[in-house]
Amino acid sequence: MTDIIQTDVVIVGAGPVGLFAVFELGLLDVKAHVIDILPRAGGQCSELYPEKPIYDIPGFPVISGQGLVDNLMKQIEPFKPGFHFGEMTTGLEVLGDAVHPRFRVTTDCDKAFECKAVLVAAGGGSFQPKKPPIPGIDAYEGKSVHYSVRRMEDFRGADVMIVGGGDSALDWTLNLQPLARRLTLVHRRDEFRAAPHSVNAMRALVAAGAMDLVIGQVTAVAGADGAMTSATVKKADGALVDVACTRMMPFFGLTMKLGPIADWGLALAENLVPVDTEKFETATPGVFAVGDINHYPGKLKLILSGFHEAALAAQRVHRYVYPDKKLTFQYTTSSTSLQRKLGVA
Amino acid sequence: MVTINFRAADGTLRTVEAEPGSTVMEAAIQSKVPGITAECGGACACATCHVYVDADWFERLPKAEPMEEDMLDFASDLRKTSRLSCQIKVAPELDGLTVETPARQG
């Protein structure tokens, strides 16, 4: 475990609402660190619909998912939040008394934070790799089945099978092909949505006999004690072929799973975190929830509602973090003090 | 209104009324049909509204756009009649359309 990071607030989730919370907290001089399992900011906006237009952000007749995220990142720049991408927030521990606790937040990358309040802006939960529908695949996960590459050397000399037809599948095909004893790419159709140059490079390797491409779906795997030996692929014509495979990497995109939040004692109801509509505080004092993850009577899962929730929650977070400081309500249009914080005065 | 039938993997049949112009996914979500997740809300970005269209209906549907084919790569347990229900527009000629929901989405 590295040094513990001390901060006012840890924000769980770097989607649009988590990002805007940085802004609202920043205006009130509350410092924040933001943790997200994805390798970049934006949450669903960046991951699910970066190029799709959004029509109901106030003041923007139309803006793309990525456009909104880019704007938010620019807007919160003056507050220099700490970003921790590619990490899943795993633990939330209450420190001190139950009435006004502090918190220790930990991630799956062995990072630890000590903070005065926690703002959960986790949307639909964490994005995790989708598992392929192969019976018994769980038994091989971690040993023979990998959803990401931690050490490329682990693939040296292995019979590698990559399943999928997107950029991740093609990139890893090209990266691991030189290391593998034999590499087989399996995809359900002979069309790929990956970058054309990667597809061309893959086809050249196939033509040169340096790797195999099988069009079909993996239906079964064989092996023992987590060590895979082969996989059965059902080809488009129904024929079954067995392919030697000691390391398999399926790339079926990401799916949202609630994840560790379920264990944080937040009195979840139908996988959502109940909050009040004044403070957006959860069942645990000092833990707040905003955006798609929370629930209250009349809740609408809209980005604009999340922004409103972040503004109100920030007021209460400030009072929780700095109980002795007086808070004066100010407008960014007229307050020199706010404008100084934004670096425009 | 147009009638759409959803058959679950266990054979349970649910019949819902859908408005022309909406999508089969929207009809399922509005009537809380189990087996349709629709994580992305209809942006053709997640493949969690995957259905198997009954063979006789499959031929009568407009063909999937390349975007839908790309997203189908991410669906589980694909069959020849696999479609994403967010990309099937409800129209009067689809009255009686029957789709099967897969055992799992994502």
Side-chain angles (χ1 to χ4, degrees), chain A residues 260-330:
Chain A
I261 294 173
D263 307 320
W264 294 352
L266 301 179
L268 263 55
E270 291 186 16
N271 283 345
L272 296 169
V273 182
V275 293
D276 65 87
T277 50
E278 179 195 348
K279 308 184 292 281
F280 295 91
E281 199 164 23
T282 68
T284 305
V287 179
F288 300 78
V290 290
D292 284 0
I293 191 83
N294 77 12
H295 189 75
Y296 51 83
K299 167 75 182 183
L300 285 180
K301 285 191 184 185
L302 290 176
I303 293 172
L304 75 93
S305 305
F307 288 167
H308 158 84
E309 294 164 16
L312 264 56
Q315 296 283 319
R316 180 60 197 181
V317 169
H318 178 274
R319 225 179 306 168
Y320 189 89
V321 170
Y322 296 113
D324 303 327
K325 273 199 202 168
K326 198 170 164 261
L327 193 60
T328 323
F329 179 67
Q330 300 175 89

Side-chain angles (χ1 to χ4, degrees), chain A residues 78-239:
Chain A
F79 302 113
K80 299 186 174 49
F83 281 114
H84 308 269
F85 293 123
E87 298 189 35
M88 184 200 269
T89 310
T90 45
L92 172 64
E93 195 187 330
V94 172
L95 308 175
D97 69 285
V99 182
H100 198 108
R102 292 166 51 86
F103 303 92
R104 178 178 292 125
V105 175
T106 44
T107 75
D108 64 349
C109 293
D110 278 347
K111 226 177 253 177
F113 300 81
E114 273 184 19
C115 56
K116 297 167 183 157
V118 174
L119 191 66
V120 182
S126 17
F127 277 100
Q128 294 176 20
K130 225 185 248 184
K131 295 181 182 186
I134 304 167
I137 194 164
D138 298 20
Y140 297 96
E141 282 171 357
K143 264 190 176 171
S144 300
V145 174
H146 309 270
Y147 298 99
S148 61
V149 175
R150 291 204 186 250
R151 263 169 33 100
M152 277 180 47
E153 273 307 306
D154 294 345
F155 292 79
R156 187 177 291 283
D159 288 317
V160 178
M161 179 179 284
I162 292 184
V163 191
D167 279 308
S168 304
L170 270 288
D171 288 350
W172 284 114
T173 294
L174 300 177
N175 285 330
L176 296 178
Q177 185 274 334
L179 292 178
R181 190 168 77 153
R182 189 72 186 171
L183 186 140
T184 308
L185 174 64
V186 178
H187 185 43
R188 72 172 182 103
R189 56 188 180 131
D190 200 10
E191 272 171 74
F192 296 84
R193 6 164 249 297
H197 64 88
S198 314
V199 178
N200 293 341
M202 179 272 292
R203 291 209 190 275
L205 287 170
V206 174
M211 62 165 280
D212 298 306
L213 169 64
V214 180
I215 304 303
Q217 295 183 66
V218 179
T219 54
V221 290
D225 298 328
M228 195 178 284
T229 51
S230 72
T232 307
V233 182
K234 189 180 176 188
K235 294 168 81 165
D237 59 6

Side-chain angles (χ1 to χ4, degrees), chain A residues 54-63 68 71:
Chain A
I54 312 173
Y55 299 103
D56 61 352
I57 304 296
F60 290 92
V62 58
I63 187 165
L68 178 65
N71 279 355

